[in-house]
């Protein structure tokens, strides 16, 4: 039962955040600082999530095959590879390192 309460509270919270966003005056949304923040915040959150999922295991810091895959993806991004090539490089390197271990 507590799971359904958590789902309901989360749904209500999401609705209220959406409603709050719609009630903000347009002048506030046009500020350059806010525009820059809204452009960079999702990137920062995604980078933090990727780092947490790659280097954390419960409460310990871990360097394993996931780190090698992330490094391969970063290298593919540096050479401006297409998105599918970046994903494929990460998958292949991660699988290769796991197969060797």
């Amino acid at each position: 039962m507590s799971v359904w309460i958590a789902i309901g509270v989360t749904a209500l919270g999401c609705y209220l955040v959406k409603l709050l966003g719609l009630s903000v005056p347009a002048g506030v949304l046009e500020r350059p600082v806010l525009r820059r923040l809204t452009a960079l915040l999702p990137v920062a959150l995604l980078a933090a999530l990727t780092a947490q999922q790659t280097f954390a295991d419960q409460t310990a810091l871990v360097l394993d095959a996931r780190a090698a895959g992330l490094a391969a993806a970063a290298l593919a991004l540096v050479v401006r590879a297409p998105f599918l090539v970046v994903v494929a490089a990460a998958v292949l390197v991660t699988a290769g390192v796991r197969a060797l271990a």
Side-chain angles (χ1 to χ4, degrees), residues 2-74:
S2 64
V3 172
W4 286 108
I5 293 171
I7 291 171
V9 169
T10 302
L12 180 64
C14 289
Y15 177 76
L16 290 175
V17 167
K18 181 75 171 180
L19 184 64
L20 179 67
L22 292 173
S23 65
V24 174
V28 173
L29 299 176
E30 297 296 326
R31 294 180 183 165
V33 173
L34 191 59
R35 282 181 171 240
R36 184 159 171 80
L37 179 68
T38 57
L40 294 177
L41 192 61
V43 175
L45 290 173
L46 184 59
L49 177 64
T50 301
Q52 192 273 332
Q53 290 293 315
T54 301
F55 300 114
D57 184 27
Q58 301 295 327
T59 59
L61 181 64
V62 180
L63 286 175
D64 59 3
R66 296 174 295 180
L70 183 63

